[in-house]
Amino acid sequence: MKTKIQPNGIIPWKSIFLMYFILLSINIKAGDDYKLWLQYSPVTSQQMLGHYKKYIHEMVIGGDSETIKIAEKELSHALLKMLGVKVPVSDKATRENIVVAGTPETSEIIKNLNLKAKLENIGDEGYLITNTTYSGKNCLVIAAKKDIGVLYGVYHFLKLIQTNQEISNLNIESSPKIKLRLLNHWDNLDRTVERGYAGFSIWDWHRLPGYIDPRYTDYARANASVGINGTVVSNVNANALILTDYYLVKLKALAGVFRPYGIKVYLTARFSAPIEIGGLSTADPLNEDVKNWWKNKIKEIYSYIPDFGGFLVKANSEGQPGPQNYGRSHADGANMLAEALADYHGVVMWRAFVYDNNVPVDRTKQAYNEFKPLDGKLLDNVLVQVKNGPLDFQPREPFHPLFGAMPKTPLMMEFQITQEYLGFATHLVYLGPLYEECLQSDTYAKGQGSTVSKVIQGTPEDHHLSGIAGVANIGTDLNWCGHPFAQANWYVFGRMAWDPDITSETVADDWIRMTFSNDPSFIQPVKEMMLASREFTVNYMTPLGLHHIMDEGHHHGPGPWIDDAGRADWTSVYYHRADSIGIGFDRSPAGSNAVEQYFSPVKEIFGNPETCPDEYLLWFHRMKWNDITRSGRTLWDELCYRYHAGVDSVRQMKKVWNALETKIDTERFGKVKMLLAIQEEEAVMWRDACLLYFQTFSGLPIPAGLEQPKHPLGYYRNMKKYFVPGI
Ligand code: GCW
């Protein structure tokens, strides 16, 4: 279409606008990937477009805080993009159908609407979205107690439009079920990211505080849109320098960007900091000089950042210093910091990821043994942060036995969003089902229904603190996460942090619509693929409860043969224990008895191979190669079958994806297509390497009819890999 200024000099705004709208609707744009789930694509259904236009004539937004300004900007920007019209913002309701947003303090309309009782039901971060009338006008109200609730409500409202839902009969009340909803960045000060596969750290420390990368705002916005309200910006393998004024002034600048988005900053505290940057000769938590050093340090941090959130600590684990260096307990260490933080309402998140090669106990039992006796001994601003499973973010683990076992302590969940053990940012693996499986596991701590979700919400004990953390998969990559579908893992983490009982399916549905398309012929196959993808990966990497059989150090690819990694509990043979008789780690009462750490009936179910779910079979039991499994196949055949099913499923994903080429932009389509091809190659590598290796013990053939390996075992064992990212 050509747009000419007409001879009478009048600019044909209508056609210019139409052209703009058409351009917006064409789904072939570079950089869509950067926008994550906040694409705000034009509504293509004419029926829904008409519906939205009917109810949105004007916006009346109460307040002028920075947070409210962000909410207003987001609404204006998103509505223009999605509806193709600029919705006017005014102080008073002048039109018939208005969107009102604010709190009773900031908005006259909300104050006068009778929402008091409803607002009482929601928390400080919660919101209501409801249709009502005011002075005869139709009002769509987004109301909250605080400005941040208004912003969260605005994102929810926009999601309704992004996902093409009706907005005429709304009655939404939403509050987060968990208080601290944090990302943990394993980002080093030199901008490398431990276990990061999406480029370098987005924190440009060198140029802070003078240069504020616009990405900080985009990061905060994306987090706020899913309700994440905190970020630990530094690696748990900590560098004490982050606590020096050189960095604090930079952190202050970041905190300033994040604050209006409701996001607090936190730091990791290196336990030996009093020695390394304080000049003391000890870091003993009971030493008065050490205590004073931390007090002063914390005072200094709050002088820069009055709403600083607190510390995350990895102590006495994998070489990190801690209180045990001085013969003190984890409680001594955590309480010393907690006491100093309490005056400022800061918290300590003390990690339970501790294990010691010199302790002759099954590694998966050590965290429980260490922490359970500390229940009741921690100050009330301490949370113990526990990984979802008792080992280390494997493709599948049973839930961590500490959940439910420390009723007097708020336990914080730690999930990994970055795919350290799930194919890095190369494999399409939607982690919603992994999170959901763990959150909905029943601990039986207080009888049936004591799910992990309830434990971390703190509901049974009415803890005043609750928390959940996700190890971020964010980096400087243009698309933030390295794989278009890895963005879904950041998204689902946020949604489950807000509501740990939401289903991974609901979240996948929203994400696909917001990120790609509302076309059902795209949504359905993509959703099915996403929901099954984690199981596919379990199958081609670690079926039937196998675990920790990856290559050492970088953790990329298979390495079931690793038998020398400096310490036994970093090898693979420690975990799979394959020999000519069978395979698996006996954690039943006859073995390490790790099952004893669970409540009944979980311990009995896991403890008996007859009742133990297939998913955890070799996690808890040693089985003979010819034992018959639930499917009727021998264990060896079942293993072969599952590894092959894993590869076949990736091939199926490729087919599904290829059939969707015309449905989305060429750029993201192409990226996913290329990544799926690598995923297939790597899945084959996992399958063949593992089966060939285990075959040296079983001595059994890969059943006829299944694809046979193309290379001998030596090929996989000798494969060279250089500069694998994320170390
Ligand atoms: O999974 C392991 C990782 C380490 C990590 C550690 C932890 C930050 O391989 O890179 O260190 O867990 O969680 O502390």
Side-chain angles (χ1 to χ4, degrees), residues 110-139:
I110 289 175
K111 192 169 140 197
N112 293 329
L113 287 169
N114 202 6
L115 295 171
K116 215 169 169 208
K118 278 190 164 181
L119 280 171
E120 252 149 41
N121 283 338
I122 61 167
D124 276 357
E125 295 175 297
Y127 52 82
L128 310 172
I129 309 180
T130 180
N131 301 88
T132 181
T133 50
Y134 176 74
S135 305
K137 297 171 196 310
N138 284 326
C139 243

Short mmCIF file of all heavy atoms in Angstrom, two decimals, residues 110-139:
data_model
loop_
_atom_site.label_atom_id
_atom_site.label_comp_id
_atom_site.label_asym_id
_atom_site.label_seq_id
_atom_site.Cartn_x
_atom_site.Cartn_y
_atom_site.Cartn_z
N ILE A 110 -11.64 3.86 43.07
CA ILE A 110 -11.47 2.61 43.84
C ILE A 110 -11.86 2.83 45.29
O ILE A 110 -12.48 1.98 45.92
CB ILE A 110 -10.03 2.07 43.68
CG1 ILE A 110 -9.90 1.55 42.24
CG2 ILE A 110 -9.72 0.97 44.69
CD1 ILE A 110 -8.55 1.07 41.83
N LYS A 111 -11.54 4.01 45.78
CA LYS A 111 -11.92 4.32 47.16
C LYS A 111 -13.44 4.25 47.30
O LYS A 111 -13.98 3.73 48.29
CB LYS A 111 -11.41 5.72 47.50
CG LYS A 111 -11.48 6.03 48.97
CD LYS A 111 -10.72 7.30 49.24
CE LYS A 111 -11.48 8.14 50.25
NZ LYS A 111 -11.02 9.52 50.23
N ASN A 112 -14.14 4.78 46.31
CA ASN A 112 -15.60 4.85 46.41
C ASN A 112 -16.31 3.55 46.05
O ASN A 112 -17.47 3.38 46.40
CB ASN A 112 -16.13 5.98 45.52
CG ASN A 112 -15.69 7.32 46.06
OD1 ASN A 112 -15.53 7.47 47.27
ND2 ASN A 112 -15.45 8.28 45.18
N LEU A 113 -15.63 2.70 45.35
CA LEU A 113 -16.25 1.40 45.04
C LEU A 113 -16.17 0.56 46.31
O LEU A 113 -15.22 0.67 47.07
CB LEU A 113 -15.48 0.68 43.93
CG LEU A 113 -15.65 1.26 42.54
CD1 LEU A 113 -14.64 0.64 41.58
CD2 LEU A 113 -17.07 0.99 42.03
N ASN A 114 -17.14 -0.28 46.48
CA ASN A 114 -17.11 -0.99 47.75
C ASN A 114 -16.25 -2.25 47.68
O ASN A 114 -16.73 -3.35 47.62
CB ASN A 114 -18.55 -1.33 48.16
CG ASN A 114 -18.61 -1.54 49.64
OD1 ASN A 114 -17.60 -1.33 50.34
ND2 ASN A 114 -19.75 -2.00 50.12
N LEU A 115 -14.95 -2.04 47.74
CA LEU A 115 -14.04 -3.18 47.56
C LEU A 115 -13.31 -3.55 48.85
O LEU A 115 -12.47 -4.43 48.86
CB LEU A 115 -13.00 -2.84 46.49
CG LEU A 115 -13.53 -2.64 45.08
CD1 LEU A 115 -12.42 -2.10 44.18
CD2 LEU A 115 -14.06 -3.95 44.52
N LYS A 116 -13.67 -2.84 49.91
CA LYS A 116 -12.89 -2.98 51.14
C LYS A 116 -12.77 -4.44 51.60
O LYS A 116 -11.68 -4.95 51.86
CB LYS A 116 -13.55 -2.14 52.23
CG LYS A 116 -12.54 -1.55 53.14
CD LYS A 116 -13.11 -0.51 54.05
CE LYS A 116 -12.00 -0.22 55.06
NZ LYS A 116 -12.50 0.20 56.31
N ALA A 117 -13.93 -5.10 51.66
CA ALA A 117 -13.93 -6.47 52.17
C ALA A 117 -13.07 -7.35 51.28
O ALA A 117 -12.26 -8.16 51.75
CB ALA A 117 -15.35 -7.00 52.21
N LYS A 118 -13.21 -7.15 49.99
CA LYS A 118 -12.45 -7.98 49.05
C LYS A 118 -10.95 -7.70 49.17
O LYS A 118 -10.13 -8.61 49.12
CB LYS A 118 -12.88 -7.68 47.61
CG LYS A 118 -14.13 -8.42 47.21
CD LYS A 118 -14.29 -8.24 45.72
CE LYS A 118 -15.27 -9.24 45.17
NZ LYS A 118 -15.42 -9.11 43.74
N LEU A 119 -10.63 -6.43 49.32
CA LEU A 119 -9.21 -6.09 49.42
C LEU A 119 -8.58 -6.65 50.69
O LEU A 119 -7.39 -6.93 50.73
CB LEU A 119 -9.02 -4.57 49.37
CG LEU A 119 -9.06 -3.95 47.98
CD1 LEU A 119 -9.09 -2.43 48.05
CD2 LEU A 119 -7.87 -4.39 47.14
N GLU A 120 -9.43 -6.81 51.70
CA GLU A 120 -8.89 -7.37 52.93
C GLU A 120 -8.41 -8.81 52.75
O GLU A 120 -7.50 -9.26 53.43
CB GLU A 120 -9.93 -7.31 54.05
CG GLU A 120 -9.54 -6.26 55.07
CD GLU A 120 -10.72 -5.60 55.72
OE1 GLU A 120 -11.69 -6.33 56.04
OE2 GLU A 120 -10.69 -4.37 55.91
N ASN A 121 -9.03 -9.50 51.81
CA ASN A 121 -8.66 -10.91 51.57
C ASN A 121 -7.31 -11.09 50.91
O ASN A 121 -6.76 -12.18 50.91
CB ASN A 121 -9.66 -11.56 50.59
CG ASN A 121 -10.93 -11.90 51.29
OD1 ASN A 121 -10.94 -12.04 52.51
ND2 ASN A 121 -12.00 -12.02 50.52
N ILE A 122 -6.85 -10.04 50.28
CA ILE A 122 -5.61 -10.23 49.51
C ILE A 122 -4.42 -9.68 50.27
O ILE A 122 -4.56 -8.82 51.14
CB ILE A 122 -5.68 -9.59 48.11
CG1 ILE A 122 -5.91 -8.09 48.22
CG2 ILE A 122 -6.73 -10.24 47.25
CD1 ILE A 122 -5.69 -7.35 46.94
N GLY A 123 -3.24 -10.20 49.94
CA GLY A 123 -2.02 -9.74 50.61
C GLY A 123 -1.51 -8.43 50.02
O GLY A 123 -2.10 -7.89 49.08
N ASP A 124 -0.40 -7.96 50.55
CA ASP A 124 0.14 -6.68 50.12
C ASP A 124 0.57 -6.67 48.65
O ASP A 124 0.66 -5.62 48.04
CB ASP A 124 1.36 -6.31 50.97
CG ASP A 124 0.92 -5.64 52.25
OD1 ASP A 124 -0.30 -5.42 52.41
OD2 ASP A 124 1.80 -5.35 53.09
N GLU A 125 0.87 -7.86 48.12
CA GLU A 125 1.28 -7.90 46.72
C GLU A 125 0.13 -8.36 45.81
O GLU A 125 0.31 -8.48 44.61
CB GLU A 125 2.46 -8.86 46.54
CG GLU A 125 3.73 -8.41 47.24
CD GLU A 125 4.81 -9.47 47.13
OE1 GLU A 125 4.60 -10.58 47.66
OE2 GLU A 125 5.85 -9.20 46.52
N GLY A 126 -1.01 -8.65 46.40
CA GLY A 126 -2.12 -9.21 45.63
C GLY A 126 -2.93 -8.14 44.91
O GLY A 126 -2.67 -6.93 45.02
N TYR A 127 -3.93 -8.59 44.15
CA TYR A 127 -4.77 -7.66 43.39
C TYR A 127 -6.12 -8.28 43.12
O TYR A 127 -6.31 -9.50 43.23
CB TYR A 127 -4.09 -7.29 42.06
CG TYR A 127 -3.67 -8.50 41.25
CD1 TYR A 127 -4.59 -9.18 40.44
CD2 TYR A 127 -2.37 -9.00 41.33
CE1 TYR A 127 -4.21 -10.30 39.73
CE2 TYR A 127 -1.99 -10.13 40.62
CZ TYR A 127 -2.91 -10.78 39.83
OH TYR A 127 -2.55 -11.90 39.14
N LEU A 128 -7.04 -7.41 42.75
CA LEU A 128 -8.37 -7.84 42.29
C LEU A 128 -8.54 -7.33 40.86
O LEU A 128 -8.10 -6.24 40.55
CB LEU A 128 -9.48 -7.14 43.08
CG LEU A 128 -9.45 -7.13 44.58
CD1 LEU A 128 -10.55 -6.20 45.08
CD2 LEU A 128 -9.69 -8.54 45.06
N ILE A 129 -9.20 -8.13 40.06
CA ILE A 129 -9.59 -7.62 38.73
C ILE A 129 -11.06 -7.97 38.58
O ILE A 129 -11.44 -9.15 38.63
CB ILE A 129 -8.79 -8.26 37.58
CG1 ILE A 129 -7.28 -8.17 37.85
CG2 ILE A 129 -9.13 -7.59 36.26
CD1 ILE A 129 -6.41 -8.78 36.76
N THR A 130 -11.88 -6.96 38.46
CA THR A 130 -13.31 -7.23 38.47
C THR A 130 -14.07 -6.20 37.64
O THR A 130 -13.60 -5.07 37.47
CB THR A 130 -13.79 -7.28 39.95
OG1 THR A 130 -15.16 -7.55 39.99
CG2 THR A 130 -13.51 -6.01 40.70
N ASN A 131 -15.22 -6.61 37.13
CA ASN A 131 -16.06 -5.66 36.38
C ASN A 131 -17.15 -5.14 37.30
O ASN A 131 -17.77 -5.89 38.04
CB ASN A 131 -16.75 -6.34 35.20
CG ASN A 131 -15.77 -6.96 34.24
OD1 ASN A 131 -15.37 -8.11 34.41
ND2 ASN A 131 -15.37 -6.20 33.24
N THR A 132 -17.36 -3.84 37.22
CA THR A 132 -18.40 -3.25 38.05
C THR A 132 -18.91 -1.99 37.34
O THR A 132 -18.56 -1.74 36.19
CB THR A 132 -17.86 -2.97 39.47
OG1 THR A 132 -18.89 -2.42 40.26
CG2 THR A 132 -16.67 -2.02 39.45
N THR A 133 -19.74 -1.22 38.04
CA THR A 133 -20.14 0.05 37.44
C THR A 133 -19.85 1.18 38.42
O THR A 133 -19.82 0.97 39.64
CB THR A 133 -21.66 0.08 37.12
OG1 THR A 133 -22.36 -0.33 38.28
CG2 THR A 133 -22.00 -0.81 35.95
N TYR A 134 -19.62 2.35 37.86
CA TYR A 134 -19.32 3.52 38.68
C TYR A 134 -19.94 4.73 37.99
O TYR A 134 -19.66 4.98 36.81
CB TYR A 134 -17.81 3.68 38.81
CG TYR A 134 -17.39 4.90 39.58
CD1 TYR A 134 -17.52 4.96 40.97
CD2 TYR A 134 -16.88 6.01 38.92
CE1 TYR A 134 -17.15 6.08 41.67
CE2 TYR A 134 -16.50 7.14 39.61
CZ TYR A 134 -16.64 7.18 40.99
OH TYR A 134 -16.27 8.29 41.68
N SER A 135 -20.81 5.41 38.70
CA SER A 135 -21.56 6.55 38.11
C SER A 135 -22.15 6.17 36.76
O SER A 135 -21.98 6.90 35.78
CB SER A 135 -20.68 7.76 37.88
OG SER A 135 -20.04 8.15 39.00
N GLY A 136 -22.70 4.99 36.70
CA GLY A 136 -23.34 4.55 35.47
C GLY A 136 -22.39 4.10 34.38
O GLY A 136 -22.80 3.78 33.27
N LYS A 137 -21.10 4.10 34.66
CA LYS A 137 -20.15 3.69 33.63
C LYS A 137 -19.67 2.27 33.92
O LYS A 137 -19.55 1.87 35.07
CB LYS A 137 -18.94 4.62 33.63
CG LYS A 137 -19.29 6.04 33.28
CD LYS A 137 -18.09 6.92 33.51
CE LYS A 137 -18.44 8.39 33.55
NZ LYS A 137 -19.25 8.88 32.47
N ASN A 138 -19.38 1.55 32.83
CA ASN A 138 -18.81 0.21 33.01
C ASN A 138 -17.35 0.35 33.38
O ASN A 138 -16.59 1.04 32.70
CB ASN A 138 -18.88 -0.59 31.71
CG ASN A 138 -20.26 -1.09 31.46
OD1 ASN A 138 -20.99 -1.41 32.41
ND2 ASN A 138 -20.64 -1.14 30.20
N CYS A 139 -17.00 -0.33 34.44
CA CYS A 139 -15.65 -0.17 34.96
C CYS A 139 -14.96 -1.52 35.06
O CYS A 139 -15.49 -2.43 35.67
CB CYS A 139 -15.81 0.28 36.40
SG CYS A 139 -15.20 1.80 36.79
#
